Amino acid sequence: MQELGLYLDIVVRMDFKLPVEMLKRILGAIFTVAVMACQGTPKPQQVIEGIPNIMPDEKQSLVARQIVALIENYNYKKLTVNDSISSLVLDKYIKALDPYRNYFLASDIKSFEQFRTTLDDAFRTGDLSAPFYIFNVYSKRYNETMNYAIAHIKDKYDFDQQDSYVFNREKMPWVASITALNDIWRKKVKYELVNLKLAGTSEVKNVETLTKRYQNLKSQSAKLNNQDVFQVIMDAFTGTIDPHTNYFNPTKASQFNEQMSRSIEGIGAYLQSENDVLKIAEVTPGGPAFKSKQLHAGDRIIGVAQGMGDFEDIIGWRLDIAITKIKGPKGTIVRLKIIPVGHDMSSKPVIVEITREKIVMEDQSAKKEVKTVQSNGKPYKIGIINVPAFYIDSKAAIAREVNYKSTTRDVKLLIDTLKNKDKVDAIVMDLRGNGGGSLLEAVNLTGLFIDQGPVVQVKDPKGEIEVDRDDNPGVAWSGPFGVLVDRTTASASEIFAGAIQDYARGVIIGTQTYGKGTVQQPIDLNKLTNPSILQRLASMVQVNATGSAKAAQKVSDIQLGQINLTIAKFYRVNGSSTQHKGVMPDITLPSFYPMDKVGEDTEASALPWDEIQKSDFTPVDNLSAVKAELVKLHETRMEKSLDYKILVQDIADMKKRNLETSVTLNENKLKSERESLEVKSLEKLNKLRISRGLAAVKKGDKIKKEENFDFLEEETLKVMADYIQLKPTV
């Protein structure tokens, strides 16, 4: 189910920093809470007729109580889980299950109102009967719609009708009857069929494909267990508290820690499910997908084949099962059927072949390249250092190995080469897509460009402030310096960019950054639980996902999962928080990412921006006049830039498409719309190619890698050339 996937596989990069004494206080308190919490008695579960009902177990009851205690005592917000929280959780939970209002009836939603102000008390006592009941109602409706869809795939549809399908009903009323719900699903089936038809396959094959697709949906639904349901419930709960406090059930905790250790074998992409389709949320820098340059965030995967084997249609598959098909041993080949980002689902799929690799984030080094830009008749050499993450081989560092891997060490070597061998005139640090990582590395990396001083301030829930400093004398680079950022530049990256800006050490170029200015600490709930309670849980007769009894377990089998708890907040040395607002660039470039959909300020539960007293630091220079002149020169270029005009138009077109909620079901009209988009896209591409002295291409032509261009990078280089001329030394 795509709705579950949205919440089960989002990777949140965090900066871990929890004082030892605070952790001791948490441990002491929660041992006590856990003992007291086991006194609760869950209420009888209301049963939904006609389906296997999924029931909560004692472990989940205990975890719910622990999470309430952790949030109320140690979350940075210092809030009480009350009726207002309960109301928000209910809405978030229902939206998680049915975001586009395709399953629940209005009568179902009305019946759930009885729980609006009681979930807070229920979680506090470990009573999960209400949210599990809601899920079972959802499961019944889900199965009913799947049965209806399967039964009507073979119907005769008129693709010449001037009708339409509303694919996004998020803001529409809940439907009042089964008849109205069936009408929605009949149009959805028709939409799926016309997409398949436009792809060029036969009617018989299309019916077969769609039937298998919906049968897979039913099959995946039947495989859900109480851990899956509990995960969605806790996601709704913790997500209501703040965007980065997350609970992971045992399976998801294992996956999360595997991802955080950056040692998995696969293609190197973070995936999520949206509207029954697997979508690439992020391409891991340095991974095989990234290196292939064939996959991008927003691309949708509709089929998977192992090696040269047959493709499996994975539309509608459960997210974690689809991921297992894509992951695999290094050296093996996986082929993917892709609908590229921005293309309609009826577009002909692109086949992408990728050789899997071991993805070890610590081994993904910063990379450099040197480019020459002409300005006022003179060439300038600019060194570009791309930093994919703030990484460090912590184990090797603790073991005092001489050549342990870290961002700062790698960048230092690159700077030495750029300075002494390449003889560059300026350096640009490209932090686009860098979601953060090690806070220590952000501090140390800043130290390569400033000569000692505070870099970041960290405030805990008690209001105590710790200042992290660079205490290493000297700098690795004192020449003109720029930092390129985008909307996905987050966390530790924002610490670095903010410090460079505050010290007036360089210019920040790009878009407003993400705005994640909070610190999380992973807490293993088993370690916070009295061993006697774990023993008691193991000795109890457990109830499985369908409510049947099963044998007692070993203590080692009792796994409670982990919570990543927000426990502190970042502040720049100028006293401004990076939370919510992020870092505002000195030179603003257009954003590929919709600013109203991506970023901390789009999260309803995000902590607000605020300020504290600034640190005692001395700026390297005063760049106010230089920055003002750089903005003027940049804006003059943009007035004449074809790249800029096309990019702005592309962004406007994307925003317009994002506002669309329906699609035509008329075959000829849909085909015409798709072909029109393809023609416009090709025309724009050729305008840009011709402006660069390249030959125009035709539909289906492959473009050489060396002919691809990055407008944002190119404009950054021109800004740096201006910077060199305005202020050749720093």
Side-chain angles (χ1 to χ4, degrees):
M1 297 182 194
Q2 83 279 4
E3 294 85 2
L4 295 178
L6 287 170
Y7 292 86
L8 297 185
D9 202 62
I10 296 175
V11 176
V12 181
R13 292 200 179 104
M14 291 173 290
D15 301 280
F16 301 142
K17 188 178 180 65
L18 183 65
V20 174
E21 290 304 315
M22 184 184 293
L23 184 57
K24 287 181 179 177
R25 291 197 297 273
I26 289 178
L27 286 168
I30 300 305
F31 267 106
T32 304
V33 171
V35 172
M36 296 174 64
C38 274
Q39 307 305 312
T41 302
K43 292 181 180 178
Q45 177 75 48
Q46 187 174 347
V47 175
I48 302 297
E49 297 295 332
I51 61 165
N53 282 242
I54 299 179
M55 308 288 191
D57 60 33
E58 285 289 339
K59 290 182 294 184
Q60 292 157 354
S61 176
L62 171 60
V63 169
R65 295 191 286 267
Q66 287 182 321
I67 290 177
V68 170
L70 279 164
I71 286 172
E72 292 191 327
N73 289 284
Y74 299 103
N75 185 273
Y76 188 86
K77 280 189 172 181
K78 295 183 287 189
L79 49 72
T80 300
V81 179
N82 55 22
D83 289 356
S84 296
I85 297 294
S86 174
S87 180
L88 294 171
V89 171
L90 179 64
D91 290 337
K92 197 173 188 70
Y93 181 47
I94 291 171
K95 186 174 182 179
L97 294 175
D98 192 3
Y100 302 112
R101 305 191 173 192
N102 289 328
Y103 304 103
F104 284 130
L105 297 176
S107 57
D108 298 328
I109 300 302
K110 185 177 180 180
S111 74
F112 300 153
E113 283 298 311
Q114 63 183 300
F115 308 123
R116 182 159 296 281
T117 60
T118 61
L119 292 178
D120 56 322
D121 300 318
F123 290 158
R124 195 182 305 281
T125 61
D127 177 14
L128 299 168
S129 58
F132 270 82
Y133 164 75
I134 292 172
F135 183 86
N136 288 331
V137 173
Y138 166 77
S139 183
K140 180 179 176 66
R141 297 298 183 208
Y142 186 88
N143 279 281
E144 289 171 347
T145 56
M146 289 301 104
N147 290 337
Y148 178 85
I150 292 170
H152 290 272
I153 291 172
K154 293 182 179 180
D155 290 358
K156 294 299 179 182
Y157 293 94
D158 182 359
F159 296 115
D160 293 325
Q161 279 184 308
Q162 298 299 324
D163 54 348
S164 62
Y165 165 58
V166 180
F167 58 84
N168 186 341
R169 302 187 67 261
E170 184 177 3
K171 296 182 179 180
M172 296 182 70
W174 297 96
V175 295
S177 67
I178 292 291
T179 301
L181 195 61
N182 287 345
D183 183 60
I184 291 171
W185 278 86
R186 182 176 176 82
K187 288 184 176 180
K188 181 175 174 62
V189 169
K190 185 177 179 180
Y191 172 63
E192 302 267 18
L193 287 171
V194 74
N195 275 339
L196 291 169
K197 188 177 182 184
L198 286 175
T201 48
S202 69
E203 181 179 347
V204 172
K205 181 64 175 177
N206 294 343
V207 168
E208 178 187 344
T209 298
L210 194 55
T211 300
K212 287 182 178 180
R213 184 179 298 173
Y214 284 121
Q215 287 173 340
N216 276 330
L217 285 168
K218 278 195 67 178
S219 175
Q220 301 308 321
S221 174
K223 294 175 183 177
L224 292 173
N225 57 42
N226 64 358
Q227 287 282 45
D228 297 319
V229 178
F230 184 62
Q231 180 68 62
V232 183
I233 294 168
M234 288 297 102
D235 281 341
F237 178 31
T238 60
T240 299
I241 304 305
D242 79 78
H244 306 293
T245 287
N246 302 110
Y247 167 74
F248 295 111
N249 68 33
T251 300
K252 295 302 173 183
S254 176
Q255 292 175 357
F256 176 85
N257 291 321
E258 180 185 65
Q259 289 165 333
M260 288 302 293
S261 69
R262 302 181 174 101
S263 58
I264 59 176
E265 294 182 351
I267 66 171
Y270 295 107
L271 308 173
Q272 65 185 53
S273 188
E274 184 177 277
N275 206 20
D276 292 341
V277 180
L278 195 67
K279 188 173 81 171
I280 296 176
E282 178 184 345
V283 176
T284 305
F290 180 86
K291 289 187 286 189
S292 77
K293 298 188 182 299
Q294 298 179 87
L295 293 178
H296 307 87
D299 288 350
R300 289 145 293 171
I301 304 173
I302 64 171
V304 180
Q306 307 305 318
M308 296 298 111
D310 295 334
F311 276 97
E312 292 183 85
D313 183 328
I314 64 168
I315 291 181
W317 278 32
R318 180 170 160 165
L319 181 64
D320 54 352
I321 294 175
I323 287 174
T324 62
K325 294 286 185 179
I326 297 171
K327 289 171 63 177
K330 64 179 180 180
T332 59
I333 293 174
V334 62
R335 289 186 299 139
L336 308 173
K337 274 187 183 179
I338 300 294
I339 303 294
V341 59
H343 289 219
D344 190 82
M345 282 298 292
S346 61
S347 302
K348 184 177 181 180
V350 175
I351 307 300
V352 173
E353 180 179 307
I354 297 179
T355 301
R356 299 177 177 108
E357 297 177 11
K358 184 174 182 179
I359 315 299
V360 182
M361 296 291 284
E362 290 88 350
D363 289 341
Q364 292 177 4
S365 304
K367 301 290 191 300
K368 79 167 181 72
E369 60 180 325
V370 178
K371 294 194 174 182
T372 300
V373 59
Q374 295 285 336
S375 180
N376 294 324
K378 183 178 178 181
Y380 294 96
K381 294 175 71 176
I382 314 292
I384 304 170
I385 300 177
N386 182 277
V387 178
F390 285 84
Y391 53 86
I392 182 171
D393 187 343
S394 299
K395 292 182 179 179
I398 292 171
R400 298 182 181 276
E401 293 182 15
V402 176
N403 296 315
Y404 70 85
K405 200 78 170 170
S406 82
T407 301
T408 305
R409 284 170 166 243
D410 289 345
V411 170
K412 174 64 167 62
L413 292 173
L414 295 177
I415 290 174
D416 289 344
T417 302
L418 290 170
K419 182 169 58 176
N420 300 318
K421 181 180 177 182
D422 298 317
K423 306 292 184 182
V424 297
D425 300 298
I427 290 177
V428 170
M429 189 78 72
D430 190 345
L431 296 182
R432 289 177 295 175
N434 187 320
S438 168
L439 175 61
L440 174 64
E441 284 305 299
V443 174
N444 290 341
L445 189 66
T446 304
L448 297 182
F449 301 93
I450 66 168
D451 185 13
Q452 298 183 306
V455 174
V456 63
Q457 303 182 82
V458 184
K459 186 169 82 170
D460 68 20
K462 294 177 65 178
E464 296 178 358
I465 297 171
E466 176 183 311
V467 180
D468 289 349
R469 303 174 50 88
D470 163 51
D471 292 320
N472 296 316
V475 296
W477 175 254
S478 60
F481 183 54
V483 182
L484 179 56
V485 298
D486 68 7
R487 189 58 163 172
T488 61
T489 301
S491 202
S493 296
E494 294 173 291
I495 297 301
F496 175 81
I500 294 299
Q501 190 175 60
D502 292 343
Y503 275 91
R505 178 56 194 88
V507 292
I508 311 301
I509 306 162
T511 63
Q512 179 185 8
T513 61
Y514 191 89
K516 182 190 176 296
T518 56
V519 190
Q520 284 71 42
Q521 175 67 27
I523 300 172
D524 184 342
L525 295 179
N526 276 60
K527 294 181 179 179
L528 298 186
T529 305
N530 192 303
S532 65
I533 294 174
L534 296 177
Q535 180 64 56
R536 176 183 171 184
L537 288 171
S539 64
M540 294 174 65
V541 174
Q542 301 293 316
V543 177
N544 65 18
T546 59
S548 303
K550 63 179 182 179
Q553 306 171 75
K554 300 176 182 177
V555 173
S556 59
D557 293 330
I558 302 298
Q559 295 296 320
L560 304 178
Q562 100 182 20
I563 184 171
N564 297 328
L565 191 69
T566 298
I567 49 82
K569 198 172 180 181
F570 288 133
Y571 293 84
R572 292 164 58 162
V573 293
N574 69 359
S576 172
S577 173
T578 56
Q579 171 63 18
H580 211 272
K581 288 187 178 183
V583 177
M584 298 300 295
D586 302 310
I587 312 295
T588 301
L589 299 177
S591 174
F592 285 116
Y593 299 94
M595 302 295 282
D596 60 340
K597 295 183 182 297
V598 178
E600 192 81 359
D601 56 4
T602 68
E603 299 282 354
S605 60
L607 275 76
W609 175 89
D610 65 342
E611 291 180 289
I612 60 174
Q613 186 174 348
K614 72 174 186 177
S615 296
D616 183 14
F617 75 102
T618 303
V620 173
D621 206 339
N622 184 345
L623 297 179
S624 298
V626 171
K627 289 178 180 178
E629 188 62 28
L630 289 175
V631 170
K632 289 180 183 178
L633 293 169
H634 162 70
E635 290 176 346
T636 299
R637 269 194 304 274
M638 294 305 96
E639 289 175 1
K640 304 174 184 177
S641 171
L642 177 63
D643 290 86
Y644 179 78
K645 291 175 182 177
I646 288 179
L647 177 56
V648 169
Q649 185 59 54
D650 284 346
I651 292 171
D653 291 342
M654 186 179 297
K655 285 182 178 179
K656 185 178 178 181
R657 286 196 296 272
N658 287 338
L659 293 174
E660 295 174 355
T661 59
S662 64
V663 61
T664 180
L665 294 177
N666 180 279
E667 180 183 357
N668 290 329
K669 188 176 180 181
L670 187 61
K671 182 179 180 181
S672 176
E673 289 176 356
R674 186 190 75 187
E675 290 176 346
S676 176
L677 287 173
E678 290 177 348
V679 168
K680 288 180 180 178
S681 178
L682 187 61
E683 286 177 351
K684 287 186 288 188
L685 174 63
N686 281 328
K687 281 183 181 179
L688 291 173
R689 288 179 62 84
I690 291 169
S691 73
R692 295 169 183 275
L694 298 172
V697 294
K698 299 188 295 294
K699 181 180 177 180
D701 286 352
K702 288 188 176 181
I703 298 174
K704 298 176 182 178
K705 290 181 181 180
E706 59 269 22
E707 293 179 349
N708 290 323
F709 40 86
D710 181 344
F711 165 66
L712 301 182
E713 181 186 274
E714 288 187 357
E715 176 56 21
T716 297
L717 298 181
K718 292 174 182 177
V719 169
M720 293 308 298
D722 293 338
Y723 185 22
I724 295 167
Q725 295 169 76
L726 290 168
K727 196 171 186 63
T729 60
V730 177

